[in-house]
Structures are given as C-alpha cells and as structure tokens.
Amino acid sequence: MGEMIKVNFNNYKIEKIKKMEQDMKDKYGYYVHYVIPEKEGELIDCHTHGLMETFGHKEIQIKTTVSQKSACSFINSIVDIIRGLEIEKSILDLDVEIAPKGFVPIKYKELKDEFGEELIRLIIPDRNGKYPWDEDCEESYKKQWTMEDELNAKN
C-alpha cells in the first residue's frame, strides 16, 4: 500500500489566489481585493493593491453594502482616472465628481486604515443621495463612515 498524502486545500487555494492576484497586477498594474464580512450586518471591504507601486497613488477602498460588481465598477472608474494623472497626483487634487450611471456622485475621504496605511475611501450615497454625515442617511450607509474613521481622516 502507498503512503497517505495529506493535502492542505486551504494552502492550495491561497497559492492559487496569490498567483491570480499577481497575474492581475502584472497585467493591469493593480487588483481589487473583495473581503466578505464575517458577520451579518457588517460591510464588505473592497480595496485595491498595487496602485502605489504602479501609479504612485494611494490605494482605494469601499466599505459598504453594494454588490461586488458595483464596488469593483466604482473602483475601476476611479482607476481609469488615476491612469491619466501625472505620478504623485491624486484624485483628491482634482475637482471631479465620479457618478456611475444612475448614481449620485461618490465622495472620497483620505484616512489611515487599521494597519496605519494611508488610503482613499470612496463614500457611496444612499438611494436618496444622502451621505453618512447627513442626518437622514439610511442606517446601512451610515456605517461606511464612522466617528472612528473621522478621527483617522486626513481631510
């Protein structure tokens, strides 16, 4: 009888994901990482990797309840603008509104994440065009910009 071989499928999946991420980074200069919340009611965390290395631009993040497809679409719209910027410029330097079709313009704020990395958080308005700092913003949208975020904000 042959020897039993144990395969850690989690490590296999991680290696496969890392290769896919590197392939995307090599091809496009960045990739979007989509983190599914562990608990119901928590927000997704959709963010980029590679913008600083490739374009000299801070990474971008969305923390919201929108779908993966919508979150990635918002980020890709911003990256298309970043591609046209001079190195060391930022979308924060531009007087530009990002408004995907059918949406009120997205706002953006600069902050440090939980690891101390500076990034730009996209803030998506609710169905009524209200932002988290507006008193009558829908509760689920308020979570994308908290008092803790405000304390870590740079602008």
Side-chain angles (χ1 to χ4, degrees), residues 110-121:
E110 193 173 12
L111 74 150
K112 287 189 177 184
D113 68 9
E114 61 270 20
F115 306 108
E117 298 293 321
E118 291 183 4
L119 56 84
I120 296 172
R121 167 99 43 92

Side-chain angles (χ1 to χ4, degrees), residues 41-44 63-66 123-127 130-132 136-146:
E42 289 182 345
L43 303 177
I44 60 101
K63 278 193 150 183
T64 189
T65 58
V66 299
I123 310 294
I124 300 169
D126 69 13
R127 291 177 278 215
K130 304 294 181 182
Y131 297 92
D136 50 351
C137 179
E138 291 177 37
E139 207 52 46
S140 62
Y141 284 81
K142 280 190 180 229
K143 293 178 184 179
Q144 64 182 319
W145 189 257
T146 64

Side-chain angles (χ1 to χ4, degrees), residues 6-121:
K6 289 186 179 182
V7 176
N8 184 333
F9 287 103
N10 288 333
N11 285 344
Y12 172 76
K13 288 178 186 176
I14 289 170
E15 290 305 314
K16 191 173 182 179
I17 289 169
K18 283 183 179 181
K19 181 177 180 348
M20 185 178 70
E21 290 171 345
Q22 188 59 51
D23 289 348
M24 296 295 282
K25 207 168 167 185
D26 292 344
K27 186 172 182 178
Y28 301 106
Y30 75 104
Y31 65 92
V32 178
H33 186 195
Y34 187 85
V35 181
I36 298 168
E38 293 180 8
K39 298 177 187 168
E40 191 171 323
E42 289 182 345
L43 303 177
I44 60 101
D45 178 353
C46 189
H47 57 273
T48 60
H49 290 276
L51 293 183
M52 184 57 77
E53 296 166 46
T54 305
F55 305 108
H57 194 280
K58 291 180 177 135
E59 302 301 333
I60 295 173
Q61 177 191 52
I62 294 177
K63 278 193 150 183
T64 189
T65 58
V66 299
S67 70
Q68 180 177 6
K69 185 177 179 180
S70 294
C72 290
S73 176
F74 295 149
I75 287 178
N76 289 332
S77 295
I78 300 290
V79 173
D80 285 344
I81 292 169
I82 291 168
R83 286 180 196 278
L85 295 175
E86 296 173 27
I87 295 293
E88 302 304 320
K89 285 277 190 181
S90 166
I91 58 169
L92 297 172
D93 300 329
L94 304 176
D95 185 24
V96 36
E97 287 189 340
I98 307 299
K101 192 174 184 174
F103 283 87
V104 171
I106 295 170
K107 305 282 185 193
Y108 23 90
K109 298 237 181 202
E110 193 173 12
L111 74 150
K112 287 189 177 184
D113 68 9
E114 61 270 20
F115 306 108
E117 298 293 321
E118 291 183 4
L119 56 84
I120 296 172
R121 167 99 43 92

